[in-house]
Amino acid sequence: NAPNIINSLICMAMGQPDLFPLWDGSVELAKSLMMYTVLSVPFMLFPKPFILLWQHKQAEKKKTAEGHHLMVDEEQAGGSSPKAHGHGEEFEFGEIFI
């Protein structure tokens, strides 16, 4: 029974013991790499909504400092613009965080 990389990867992801490791010490390395992977995901995903909120607030400050209004009445804008979805929409932190 030769070691099989596919079997080793499946055992690593599912936390099962690898009966035929690729080399001595590969099981310990796989466990530590999987732990680092699981722990790194929240560190990558959690700050993004706060960074976007900070960028939105900076853009609002810049617009108000230049004398622009954040919301334009529909009467002044002449109805809805073709860019109604996407840029310029109201920033909702709850939706971005979820």
PDB file of all heavy atoms in Angstrom, residues 51-84:
ATOM      1  N   ILE A  51     -13.088  48.255   6.905  1.00  0.00           N
ATOM      2  CA  ILE A  51     -12.288  49.034   5.960  1.00  0.00           C
ATOM      3  C   ILE A  51     -13.203  49.737   4.959  1.00  0.00           C
ATOM      4  O   ILE A  51     -13.006  50.920   4.650  1.00  0.00           O
ATOM      5  CB  ILE A  51     -11.266  48.126   5.240  1.00  0.00           C
ATOM      6  CG1 ILE A  51     -10.220  47.634   6.237  1.00  0.00           C
ATOM      7  CG2 ILE A  51     -10.608  48.849   4.076  1.00  0.00           C
ATOM      8  CD1 ILE A  51      -9.319  46.539   5.705  1.00  0.00           C
ATOM      9  N   LEU A  52     -14.224  49.035   4.469  1.00  0.00           N
ATOM     10  CA  LEU A  52     -15.172  49.661   3.548  1.00  0.00           C
ATOM     11  C   LEU A  52     -15.952  50.788   4.223  1.00  0.00           C
ATOM     12  O   LEU A  52     -16.207  51.824   3.599  1.00  0.00           O
ATOM     13  CB  LEU A  52     -16.127  48.613   2.989  1.00  0.00           C
ATOM     14  CG  LEU A  52     -15.521  47.594   2.035  1.00  0.00           C
ATOM     15  CD1 LEU A  52     -16.557  46.537   1.662  1.00  0.00           C
ATOM     16  CD2 LEU A  52     -14.973  48.268   0.805  1.00  0.00           C
ATOM     17  N   LEU A  53     -16.316  50.610   5.482  1.00  0.00           N
ATOM     18  CA  LEU A  53     -17.008  51.663   6.229  1.00  0.00           C
ATOM     19  C   LEU A  53     -16.111  52.881   6.377  1.00  0.00           C
ATOM     20  O   LEU A  53     -16.553  54.018   6.171  1.00  0.00           O
ATOM     21  CB  LEU A  53     -17.440  51.144   7.603  1.00  0.00           C
ATOM     22  CG  LEU A  53     -18.130  52.149   8.519  1.00  0.00           C
ATOM     23  CD1 LEU A  53     -19.456  52.584   7.926  1.00  0.00           C
ATOM     24  CD2 LEU A  53     -18.326  51.550   9.896  1.00  0.00           C
ATOM     25  N   TRP A  54     -14.865  52.666   6.704  1.00  0.00           N
ATOM     26  CA  TRP A  54     -13.912  53.772   6.841  1.00  0.00           C
ATOM     27  C   TRP A  54     -13.736  54.501   5.508  1.00  0.00           C
ATOM     28  O   TRP A  54     -13.735  55.734   5.462  1.00  0.00           O
ATOM     29  CB  TRP A  54     -12.575  53.242   7.348  1.00  0.00           C
ATOM     30  CG  TRP A  54     -11.550  54.305   7.499  1.00  0.00           C
ATOM     31  CD1 TRP A  54     -11.443  55.225   8.504  1.00  0.00           C
ATOM     32  CD2 TRP A  54     -10.472  54.574   6.603  1.00  0.00           C
ATOM     33  NE1 TRP A  54     -10.376  56.036   8.289  1.00  0.00           N
ATOM     34  CE2 TRP A  54      -9.754  55.656   7.121  1.00  0.00           C
ATOM     35  CE3 TRP A  54     -10.053  53.994   5.413  1.00  0.00           C
ATOM     36  CZ2 TRP A  54      -8.647  56.182   6.482  1.00  0.00           C
ATOM     37  CZ3 TRP A  54      -8.948  54.510   4.781  1.00  0.00           C
ATOM     38  CH2 TRP A  54      -8.255  55.598   5.315  1.00  0.00           C
ATOM     39  N   GLN A  55     -13.624  53.759   4.407  1.00  0.00           N
ATOM     40  CA  GLN A  55     -13.479  54.377   3.091  1.00  0.00           C
ATOM     41  C   GLN A  55     -14.729  55.169   2.723  1.00  0.00           C
ATOM     42  O   GLN A  55     -14.632  56.265   2.140  1.00  0.00           O
ATOM     43  CB  GLN A  55     -13.201  53.314   2.026  1.00  0.00           C
ATOM     44  CG  GLN A  55     -11.825  52.717   2.115  1.00  0.00           C
ATOM     45  CD  GLN A  55     -11.612  51.586   1.117  1.00  0.00           C
ATOM     46  OE1 GLN A  55     -12.558  51.055   0.537  1.00  0.00           O
ATOM     47  NE2 GLN A  55     -10.356  51.209   0.932  1.00  0.00           N
ATOM     48  N   HIS A  56     -15.900  54.649   3.071  1.00  0.00           N
ATOM     49  CA  HIS A  56     -17.151  55.356   2.782  1.00  0.00           C
ATOM     50  C   HIS A  56     -17.221  56.667   3.572  1.00  0.00           C
ATOM     51  O   HIS A  56     -17.611  57.693   3.021  1.00  0.00           O
ATOM     52  CB  HIS A  56     -18.336  54.453   3.115  1.00  0.00           C
ATOM     53  CG  HIS A  56     -19.659  55.109   2.898  1.00  0.00           C
ATOM     54  ND1 HIS A  56     -20.157  55.370   1.650  1.00  0.00           N
ATOM     55  CD2 HIS A  56     -20.580  55.571   3.778  1.00  0.00           C
ATOM     56  CE1 HIS A  56     -21.333  55.964   1.762  1.00  0.00           C
ATOM     57  NE2 HIS A  56     -21.610  56.091   3.045  1.00  0.00           N
ATOM     58  N   LYS A  57     -16.843  56.611   4.836  1.00  0.00           N
ATOM     59  CA  LYS A  57     -16.867  57.832   5.646  1.00  0.00           C
ATOM     60  C   LYS A  57     -15.867  58.861   5.131  1.00  0.00           C
ATOM     61  O   LYS A  57     -16.142  60.058   5.138  1.00  0.00           O
ATOM     62  CB  LYS A  57     -16.581  57.498   7.111  1.00  0.00           C
ATOM     63  CG  LYS A  57     -17.752  56.824   7.789  1.00  0.00           C
ATOM     64  CD  LYS A  57     -17.473  56.584   9.256  1.00  0.00           C
ATOM     65  CE  LYS A  57     -18.667  55.941   9.928  1.00  0.00           C
ATOM     66  NZ  LYS A  57     -18.434  55.725  11.356  1.00  0.00           N
ATOM     67  N   GLN A  58     -14.702  58.400   4.678  1.00  0.00           N
ATOM     68  CA  GLN A  58     -13.713  59.318   4.109  1.00  0.00           C
ATOM     69  C   GLN A  58     -14.248  59.967   2.836  1.00  0.00           C
ATOM     70  O   GLN A  58     -14.046  61.163   2.608  1.00  0.00           O
ATOM     71  CB  GLN A  58     -12.395  58.587   3.819  1.00  0.00           C
ATOM     72  CG  GLN A  58     -11.682  58.096   5.056  1.00  0.00           C
ATOM     73  CD  GLN A  58     -11.269  59.228   5.973  1.00  0.00           C
ATOM     74  OE1 GLN A  58     -10.849  60.279   5.522  1.00  0.00           O
ATOM     75  NE2 GLN A  58     -11.407  59.017   7.266  1.00  0.00           N
ATOM     76  N   ALA A  59     -14.942  59.200   2.004  1.00  0.00           N
ATOM     77  CA  ALA A  59     -15.520  59.746   0.775  1.00  0.00           C
ATOM     78  C   ALA A  59     -16.617  60.751   1.097  1.00  0.00           C
ATOM     79  O   ALA A  59     -16.737  61.780   0.433  1.00  0.00           O
ATOM     80  CB  ALA A  59     -16.054  58.616  -0.095  1.00  0.00           C
ATOM     81  N   GLU A  60     -17.422  60.470   2.138  1.00  0.00           N
ATOM     82  CA  GLU A  60     -18.464  61.417   2.548  1.00  0.00           C
ATOM     83  C   GLU A  60     -17.853  62.717   3.027  1.00  0.00           C
ATOM     84  O   GLU A  60     -18.326  63.795   2.682  1.00  0.00           O
ATOM     85  CB  GLU A  60     -19.315  60.816   3.665  1.00  0.00           C
ATOM     86  CG  GLU A  60     -20.365  59.856   3.205  1.00  0.00           C
ATOM     87  CD  GLU A  60     -21.237  59.374   4.362  1.00  0.00           C
ATOM     88  OE1 GLU A  60     -20.906  59.668   5.542  1.00  0.00           O
ATOM     89  OE2 GLU A  60     -22.236  58.706   4.094  1.00  0.00           O
ATOM     90  N   LYS A  61     -16.792  62.633   3.832  1.00  0.00           N
ATOM     91  CA  LYS A  61     -16.128  63.842   4.318  1.00  0.00           C
ATOM     92  C   LYS A  61     -15.567  64.646   3.169  1.00  0.00           C
ATOM     93  O   LYS A  61     -15.646  65.879   3.162  1.00  0.00           O
ATOM     94  CB  LYS A  61     -15.007  63.469   5.291  1.00  0.00           C
ATOM     95  CG  LYS A  61     -15.479  63.017   6.634  1.00  0.00           C
ATOM     96  CD  LYS A  61     -14.297  62.686   7.538  1.00  0.00           C
ATOM     97  CE  LYS A  61     -14.742  62.134   8.856  1.00  0.00           C
ATOM     98  NZ  LYS A  61     -13.604  61.777   9.722  1.00  0.00           N
ATOM     99  N   LYS A  62     -15.008  63.963   2.184  1.00  0.00           N
ATOM    100  CA  LYS A  62     -14.425  64.656   1.037  1.00  0.00           C
ATOM    101  C   LYS A  62     -15.507  65.360   0.227  1.00  0.00           C
ATOM    102  O   LYS A  62     -15.326  66.500  -0.201  1.00  0.00           O
ATOM    103  CB  LYS A  62     -13.674  63.652   0.165  1.00  0.00           C
ATOM    104  CG  LYS A  62     -12.944  64.276  -0.979  1.00  0.00           C
ATOM    105  CD  LYS A  62     -12.158  63.233  -1.755  1.00  0.00           C
ATOM    106  CE  LYS A  62     -11.440  63.870  -2.932  1.00  0.00           C
ATOM    107  NZ  LYS A  62     -10.716  62.879  -3.721  1.00  0.00           N
ATOM    108  N   LYS A  63     -16.644  64.689   0.029  1.00  0.00           N
ATOM    109  CA  LYS A  63     -17.737  65.293  -0.731  1.00  0.00           C
ATOM    110  C   LYS A  63     -18.315  66.507  -0.013  1.00  0.00           C
ATOM    111  O   LYS A  63     -18.599  67.526  -0.629  1.00  0.00           O
ATOM    112  CB  LYS A  63     -18.841  64.269  -0.989  1.00  0.00           C
ATOM    113  CG  LYS A  63     -18.496  63.276  -2.056  1.00  0.00           C
ATOM    114  CD  LYS A  63     -19.643  62.300  -2.261  1.00  0.00           C
ATOM    115  CE  LYS A  63     -19.276  61.233  -3.258  1.00  0.00           C
ATOM    116  NZ  LYS A  63     -20.372  60.272  -3.446  1.00  0.00           N
ATOM    117  N   THR A  64     -18.505  66.402   1.309  1.00  0.00           N
ATOM    118  CA  THR A  64     -19.064  67.533   2.050  1.00  0.00           C
ATOM    119  C   THR A  64     -18.060  68.670   2.152  1.00  0.00           C
ATOM    120  O   THR A  64     -18.443  69.828   2.167  1.00  0.00           O
ATOM    121  CB  THR A  64     -19.526  67.105   3.452  1.00  0.00           C
ATOM    122  OG1 THR A  64     -18.446  66.474   4.132  1.00  0.00           O
ATOM    123  CG2 THR A  64     -20.702  66.157   3.369  1.00  0.00           C
ATOM    124  N   ALA A  65     -16.779  68.354   2.192  1.00  0.00           N
ATOM    125  CA  ALA A  65     -15.766  69.400   2.240  1.00  0.00           C
ATOM    126  C   ALA A  65     -15.705  70.166   0.921  1.00  0.00           C
ATOM    127  O   ALA A  65     -15.402  71.354   0.902  1.00  0.00           O
ATOM    128  CB  ALA A  65     -14.402  68.803   2.561  1.00  0.00           C
ATOM    129  N   GLU A  66     -15.999  69.502  -0.175  1.00  0.00           N
ATOM    130  CA  GLU A  66     -15.991  70.151  -1.484  1.00  0.00           C
ATOM    131  C   GLU A  66     -17.299  70.877  -1.775  1.00  0.00           C
ATOM    132  O   GLU A  66     -17.430  71.539  -2.791  1.00  0.00           O
ATOM    133  CB  GLU A  66     -15.720  69.117  -2.578  1.00  0.00           C
ATOM    134  CG  GLU A  66     -14.332  68.537  -2.525  1.00  0.00           C
ATOM    135  CD  GLU A  66     -14.143  67.428  -3.538  1.00  0.00           C
ATOM    136  OE1 GLU A  66     -15.101  67.061  -4.241  1.00  0.00           O
ATOM    137  OE2 GLU A  66     -13.011  66.914  -3.621  1.00  0.00           O
ATOM    138  N   GLY A  67     -18.281  70.736  -0.894  1.00  0.00           N
ATOM    139  CA  GLY A  67     -19.547  71.436  -1.070  1.00  0.00           C
ATOM    140  C   GLY A  67     -20.593  70.658  -1.835  1.00  0.00           C
ATOM    141  O   GLY A  67     -21.613  71.215  -2.209  1.00  0.00           O
ATOM    142  N   HIS A  68     -20.372  69.386  -2.074  1.00  0.00           N
ATOM    143  CA  HIS A  68     -21.367  68.567  -2.759  1.00  0.00           C
ATOM    144  C   HIS A  68     -22.356  68.023  -1.744  1.00  0.00           C
ATOM    145  O   HIS A  68     -22.024  67.799  -0.595  1.00  0.00           O
ATOM    146  CB  HIS A  68     -20.705  67.389  -3.492  1.00  0.00           C
ATOM    147  CG  HIS A  68     -19.808  67.819  -4.590  1.00  0.00           C
ATOM    148  ND1 HIS A  68     -20.273  68.432  -5.727  1.00  0.00           N
ATOM    149  CD2 HIS A  68     -18.462  67.740  -4.735  1.00  0.00           C
ATOM    150  CE1 HIS A  68     -19.262  68.695  -6.525  1.00  0.00           C
ATOM    151  NE2 HIS A  68     -18.149  68.295  -5.939  1.00  0.00           N
ATOM    152  N   HIS A  69     -23.562  67.792  -2.191  1.00  0.00           N
ATOM    153  CA  HIS A  69     -24.572  67.180  -1.334  1.00  0.00           C
ATOM    154  C   HIS A  69     -24.571  65.680  -1.564  1.00  0.00           C
ATOM    155  O   HIS A  69     -24.383  65.214  -2.677  1.00  0.00           O
ATOM    156  CB  HIS A  69     -25.956  67.751  -1.635  1.00  0.00           C
ATOM    157  CG  HIS A  69     -26.047  69.217  -1.350  1.00  0.00           C
ATOM    158  ND1 HIS A  69     -26.088  69.711  -0.080  1.00  0.00           N
ATOM    159  CD2 HIS A  69     -26.064  70.283  -2.177  1.00  0.00           C
ATOM    160  CE1 HIS A  69     -26.149  71.029  -0.126  1.00  0.00           C
ATOM    161  NE2 HIS A  69     -26.134  71.402  -1.398  1.00  0.00           N
ATOM    162  N   LEU A  70     -24.777  64.919  -0.495  1.00  0.00           N
ATOM    163  CA  LEU A  70     -24.772  63.463  -0.621  1.00  0.00           C
ATOM    164  C   LEU A  70     -26.016  62.940  -1.317  1.00  0.00           C
ATOM    165  O   LEU A  70     -25.948  62.002  -2.088  1.00  0.00           O
ATOM    166  CB  LEU A  70     -24.637  62.814   0.756  1.00  0.00           C
ATOM    167  CG  LEU A  70     -23.309  63.034   1.445  1.00  0.00           C
ATOM    168  CD1 LEU A  70     -23.338  62.407   2.826  1.00  0.00           C
ATOM    169  CD2 LEU A  70     -22.192  62.433   0.628  1.00  0.00           C
ATOM    170  N   MET A  71     -27.140  63.559  -1.030  1.00  0.00           N
ATOM    171  CA  MET A  71     -28.381  63.106  -1.652  1.00  0.00           C
ATOM    172  C   MET A  71     -28.944  64.231  -2.510  1.00  0.00           C
ATOM    173  O   MET A  71     -29.030  65.362  -2.077  1.00  0.00           O
ATOM    174  CB  MET A  71     -29.401  62.701  -0.593  1.00  0.00           C
ATOM    175  CG  MET A  71     -29.028  61.503   0.190  1.00  0.00           C
ATOM    176  SD  MET A  71     -30.405  61.013   1.215  1.00  0.00           S
ATOM    177  CE  MET A  71     -29.789  59.485   1.832  1.00  0.00           C
ATOM    178  N   VAL A  72     -29.304  63.896  -3.732  1.00  0.00           N
ATOM    179  CA  VAL A  72     -29.878  64.865  -4.651  1.00  0.00           C
ATOM    180  C   VAL A  72     -31.348  64.522  -4.807  1.00  0.00           C
ATOM    181  O   VAL A  72     -31.709  63.367  -4.999  1.00  0.00           O
ATOM    182  CB  VAL A  72     -29.152  64.796  -6.019  1.00  0.00           C
ATOM    183  CG1 VAL A  72     -29.769  65.763  -7.004  1.00  0.00           C
ATOM    184  CG2 VAL A  72     -27.672  65.061  -5.841  1.00  0.00           C
ATOM    185  N   ASP A  73     -32.205  65.534  -4.728  1.00  0.00           N
ATOM    186  CA  ASP A  73     -33.633  65.281  -4.904  1.00  0.00           C
ATOM    187  C   ASP A  73     -33.882  64.769  -6.308  1.00  0.00           C
ATOM    188  O   ASP A  73     -33.189  65.128  -7.258  1.00  0.00           O
ATOM    189  CB  ASP A  73     -34.432  66.559  -4.683  1.00  0.00           C
ATOM    190  CG  ASP A  73     -34.365  67.029  -3.244  1.00  0.00           C
ATOM    191  OD1 ASP A  73     -34.190  66.190  -2.350  1.00  0.00           O
ATOM    192  OD2 ASP A  73     -34.516  68.249  -3.034  1.00  0.00           O
ATOM    193  N   GLU A  74     -34.878  63.921  -6.445  1.00  0.00           N
ATOM    194  CA  GLU A  74     -35.192  63.376  -7.758  1.00  0.00           C
ATOM    195  C   GLU A  74     -35.635  64.467  -8.719  1.00  0.00           C
ATOM    196  O   GLU A  74     -35.425  64.361  -9.916  1.00  0.00           O
ATOM    197  CB  GLU A  74     -36.265  62.298  -7.642  1.00  0.00           C
ATOM    198  CG  GLU A  74     -35.767  61.006  -7.053  1.00  0.00           C
ATOM    199  CD  GLU A  74     -36.818  59.915  -7.091  1.00  0.00           C
ATOM    200  OE1 GLU A  74     -37.832  60.101  -7.791  1.00  0.00           O
ATOM    201  OE2 GLU A  74     -36.614  58.895  -6.437  1.00  0.00           O
ATOM    202  N   GLU A  75     -36.241  65.529  -8.184  1.00  0.00           N
ATOM    203  CA  GLU A  75     -36.671  66.624  -9.044  1.00  0.00           C
ATOM    204  C   GLU A  75     -35.464  67.322  -9.660  1.00  0.00           C
ATOM    205  O   GLU A  75     -35.477  67.685 -10.822  1.00  0.00           O
ATOM    206  CB  GLU A  75     -37.500  67.623  -8.234  1.00  0.00           C
ATOM    207  CG  GLU A  75     -38.785  67.030  -7.706  1.00  0.00           C
ATOM    208  CD  GLU A  75     -39.474  67.971  -6.735  1.00  0.00           C
ATOM    209  OE1 GLU A  75     -38.967  69.089  -6.517  1.00  0.00           O
ATOM    210  OE2 GLU A  75     -40.518  67.581  -6.202  1.00  0.00           O
ATOM    211  N   GLN A  76     -34.415  67.492  -8.878  1.00  0.00           N
ATOM    212  CA  GLN A  76     -33.214  68.142  -9.389  1.00  0.00           C
ATOM    213  C   GLN A  76     -32.442  67.225 -10.322  1.00  0.00           C
ATOM    214  O   GLN A  76     -31.825  67.678 -11.277  1.00  0.00           O
ATOM    215  CB  GLN A  76     -32.310  68.567  -8.238  1.00  0.00           C
ATOM    216  CG  GLN A  76     -32.892  69.659  -7.389  1.00  0.00           C
ATOM    217  CD  GLN A  76     -32.004  69.955  -6.192  1.00  0.00           C
ATOM    218  OE1 GLN A  76     -31.100  69.196  -5.882  1.00  0.00           O
ATOM    219  NE2 GLN A  76     -32.277  71.062  -5.529  1.00  0.00           N
ATOM    220  N   ALA A  77     -32.485  65.937 -10.052  1.00  0.00           N
ATOM    221  CA  ALA A  77     -31.731  64.983 -10.864  1.00  0.00           C
ATOM    222  C   ALA A  77     -32.471  64.636 -12.151  1.00  0.00           C
ATOM    223  O   ALA A  77     -31.880  64.069 -13.050  1.00  0.00           O
ATOM    224  CB  ALA A  77     -31.460  63.717 -10.071  1.00  0.00           C
ATOM    225  N   GLY A  78     -33.750  64.943 -12.220  1.00  0.00           N
ATOM    226  CA  GLY A  78     -34.503  64.618 -13.420  1.00  0.00           C
ATOM    227  C   GLY A  78     -34.918  63.165 -13.484  1.00  0.00           C
ATOM    228  O   GLY A  78     -34.886  62.568 -14.546  1.00  0.00           O
ATOM    229  N   GLY A  79     -35.260  62.574 -12.372  1.00  0.00           N
ATOM    230  CA  GLY A  79     -35.671  61.169 -12.347  1.00  0.00           C
ATOM    231  C   GLY A  79     -34.514  60.284 -11.951  1.00  0.00           C
ATOM    232  O   GLY A  79     -33.472  60.738 -11.518  1.00  0.00           O
ATOM    233  N   SER A  80     -34.718  58.993 -12.136  1.00  0.00           N
ATOM    234  CA  SER A  80     -33.669  58.046 -11.744  1.00  0.00           C
ATOM    235  C   SER A  80     -32.627  57.964 -12.846  1.00  0.00           C
ATOM    236  O   SER A  80     -32.939  58.020 -14.031  1.00  0.00           O
ATOM    237  CB  SER A  80     -34.261  56.674 -11.457  1.00  0.00           C
ATOM    238  OG  SER A  80     -34.857  56.165 -12.625  1.00  0.00           O
ATOM    239  N   SER A  81     -31.407  57.825 -12.452  1.00  0.00           N
ATOM    240  CA  SER A  81     -30.311  57.740 -13.410  1.00  0.00           C
ATOM    241  C   SER A  81     -30.079  56.291 -13.803  1.00  0.00           C
ATOM    242  O   SER A  81     -30.468  55.381 -13.082  1.00  0.00           O
ATOM    243  CB  SER A  81     -29.036  58.330 -12.797  1.00  0.00           C
ATOM    244  OG  SER A  81     -28.628  57.552 -11.714  1.00  0.00           O
ATOM    245  N   PRO A  82     -29.407  56.052 -14.933  1.00  0.00           N
ATOM    246  CA  PRO A  82     -29.118  54.665 -15.299  1.00  0.00           C
ATOM    247  C   PRO A  82     -28.140  53.988 -14.352  1.00  0.00           C
ATOM    248  O   PRO A  82     -28.036  52.791 -14.321  1.00  0.00           O
ATOM    249  CB  PRO A  82     -28.527  54.782 -16.707  1.00  0.00           C
ATOM    250  CG  PRO A  82     -28.219  56.206 -16.929  1.00  0.00           C
ATOM    251  CD  PRO A  82     -29.008  56.989 -15.945  1.00  0.00           C
ATOM    252  N   LYS A  83     -27.420  54.757 -13.544  1.00  0.00           N
ATOM    253  CA  LYS A  83     -26.478  54.192 -12.579  1.00  0.00           C
ATOM    254  C   LYS A  83     -27.116  54.022 -11.209  1.00  0.00           C
ATOM    255  O   LYS A  83     -26.463  54.182 -10.196  1.00  0.00           O
ATOM    256  CB  LYS A  83     -25.242  55.082 -12.453  1.00  0.00           C
ATOM    257  CG  LYS A  83     -24.397  55.155 -13.692  1.00  0.00           C
ATOM    258  CD  LYS A  83     -23.176  55.993 -13.429  1.00  0.00           C
ATOM    259  CE  LYS A  83     -22.283  56.071 -14.630  1.00  0.00           C
ATOM    260  NZ  LYS A  83     -21.107  56.884 -14.366  1.00  0.00           N
ATOM    261  N   ALA A  84     -28.392  53.717 -11.168  1.00  0.00           N
ATOM    262  CA  ALA A  84     -29.090  53.620  -9.889  1.00  0.00           C
ATOM    263  C   ALA A  84     -28.579  52.479  -9.036  1.00  0.00           C
ATOM    264  O   ALA A  84     -28.626  52.540  -7.826  1.00  0.00           O
ATOM    265  CB  ALA A  84     -30.591  53.461 -10.124  1.00  0.00           C
TER     266      ALA A  84
END
